Amino acid sequence: MNNAMPWILPALLSPMFYSVAVITDKHLLTKGFPSVSAFNVVFSLLQLIVITIYVVGTSLTVGFDSDPTGIFWSLLSGSLAAGGIVFFFHGLQLEEASRATPIQMTAPIFASLGGVVLLGESINIIQWMAILSVMVGATLISTRLQDGLFRIARGRALGFLLCGALVMGMAYVANKEATNYVNIWTIMPLRSVAMGIGVMILSARPKAMAEARAAIRNPRVLGLTVMAEVIVAPFAGLLFTYALSQGPVSLISAVQGARPLIVLILTTVLSTKALNILDEPLDRRTIGTKLIAILLIVGGIAAMNVVA
C-alpha cells in the first residue's frame, strides 16, 4: 500500500503532529507565558531557526526561484499568516483547545470564498452545502449550555478565532497564487520571514519583551516552546508538503480536516484525573456536543476538497 500510495502515511501523520503543537501551545499560553504577546515574541524569534533550516535545505537541493511576482505573493502570504496566528493565539488562550482548533479549521472555507471573489473560481452546490455544514459546526462548537439554553459563552474568543481563520484563509489564497510563479521551497522561507517579522511587529512591546525574557529563563518553558515551534509544527508542515508532492491535493487536504478530532481525543485524555495536564470538561453532554460539531466541520472540509 505504501508503494502504491506513498502520500498516505505523511498525510495522516501531519495533522497528528499539528495537534501536538496546538495542545503544547495551549499549555504554554495558559501556564508558561504571562501574556500572549510574550509568547508571540518568542515565537517570532524562533522563526529565525526555521528560516535558516529552510534556506540551507533549499540552497543545497532545488535552489531558489527569483520571479518577483512569486516573491511578492509569498511575502504577502506570510504577512497575512502573521495576523492569523496572532488572532489564533489570543483565541487559544481564552478558549479550550478542542473548541479553538475546529474554528481555526474554517480557514479553508474562507480561502474557498476568497478564491471565488478574488480569483474567479466557482463553487458547486455540494461545496456550498459543505460550507454550511462547517459554519453550523463552528457555531455549535462555540456554544455552552447555560440556564437551560445554548449560548456562545466566550464570544470574545470566538471573535479572535474567526478573525484568525478569515485572515489565514486569505493567506492560503496568496500562497496558492505564489505557487504559480515560484517553487514551494522558495515560498516557505519567504513566508516564514514575513510571518516572523509580522508577528514581532504586532506583539513586540517593552512589557512583552520583558515577559518573554523572564519566561524563557525557565528551561521547561523554553524547551516546550522550541519543541512545538521549531520541531513539531515545521515537521508537520514538511510532512504535509511531502504528501502533496506524492498524491492528490483534494484527498490530502481532506485528511487534514481530521485535526480537530485528534485534538479532541488528546485533550480528553490529557484532562483525565490520571494525567490532569489540561482542564477541559469531560461530561458526556459537552464531549457529545463537541464531537457532533467536529464531525460537521470535518465532514464539510472533506466534502469541499474531495468534490473540488
Side-chain angles (χ1 to χ4, degrees):
M1 180 178 66
N2 288 335
N3 290 332
M5 292 182 285
W7 58 269
I8 291 179
L9 184 58
L12 289 172
L13 289 176
S14 177
M16 293 181 183
F17 278 95
Y18 271 128
S19 299
V20 171
V22 168
I23 291 172
T24 305
D25 289 341
K26 171 64 177 177
H27 177 72
L28 289 167
L29 285 165
T30 53
K31 298 183 180 179
F33 287 84
S35 69
V36 179
S37 294
F39 177 81
N40 288 341
V41 167
V42 177
F43 170 88
S44 61
L45 291 174
L46 290 176
Q47 291 304 301
L48 294 173
I49 300 175
V50 177
I51 292 163
T52 301
I53 294 171
Y54 282 147
V55 169
V56 172
T58 303
S59 300
L60 296 177
T61 54
V62 297
F64 292 98
D65 290 334
S66 57
D67 187 288
T69 304
I71 291 172
F72 166 77
W73 283 110
S74 300
L75 293 174
L76 179 60
S77 174
S79 299
L80 290 168
I85 286 171
V86 170
F87 276 125
F88 174 67
F89 284 155
H90 276 285
L92 184 61
Q93 185 193 45
L94 298 170
E95 187 56 277
E96 299 162 13
S98 59
R99 295 184 191 269
T101 303
I103 299 172
Q104 181 199 32
M105 291 301 295
T106 63
I109 301 300
F110 289 113
S112 297
L113 296 174
V116 171
V117 175
L118 301 175
L119 304 180
E121 297 178 351
S122 60
I123 295 178
N124 59 41
I125 185 62
I126 295 177
Q127 291 173 313
W128 279 116
M129 292 174 65
I131 289 174
L132 178 61
S133 174
V134 171
M135 292 307 172
V136 171
T139 302
L140 182 59
I141 199 75
S142 305
T143 61
R144 290 171 174 81
L145 189 64
Q146 293 181 338
D147 301 323
L149 297 173
F150 282 101
R151 304 177 187 275
I152 298 178
R154 296 179 183 174
R156 186 161 170 257
L158 177 61
F160 279 131
L161 293 167
L162 285 177
C163 286
L166 172 61
V167 177
M168 192 61 75
M170 296 305 100
Y172 292 165
V173 174
N175 198 66
K176 182 178 179 179
E177 272 297 286
T179 61
N180 293 326
Y181 302 94
V182 294
N183 63 49
I184 59 173
W185 300 107
T186 300
I187 295 170
M188 293 172 76
L190 290 172
R191 190 173 184 272
S192 294
V193 167
M195 185 170 63
I197 293 174
V199 171
M200 181 64 79
I201 290 173
L202 291 172
S203 306
R205 303 292 183 271
K207 181 180 179 182
M209 300 289 283
E211 290 175 339
R213 286 193 296 269
I216 61 174
R217 289 194 183 109
N218 184 327
R220 181 173 173 274
V221 171
L222 178 60
L224 284 174
T225 309
V226 171
M227 181 197 77
E229 309 306 336
V230 178
I231 301 173
V232 179
F235 185 58
L238 287 174
L239 286 171
F240 179 62
T241 303
Y242 176 76
L244 287 176
S245 71
Q246 299 294 317
V249 63
S250 59
L251 295 179
I252 294 166
S253 298
V255 172
Q256 291 295 305
R259 194 190 310 177
L261 186 58
I262 297 170
V263 170
L264 176 62
I265 294 170
L266 292 177
T267 54
T268 300
V269 172
L270 293 173
S271 297
T272 58
K273 291 182 179 179
L275 296 177
N276 197 29
I277 296 175
L278 298 176
D279 190 29
E280 297 203 359
L282 299 179
D283 60 278
R284 291 183 181 179
R285 178 177 291 173
T286 299
I287 293 178
T289 302
K290 289 180 181 179
L291 183 59
I292 293 171
I294 286 171
L295 291 177
L296 287 169
I297 293 171
V298 171
I301 292 172
M304 279 291 297
N305 287 286
V306 171
V307 302

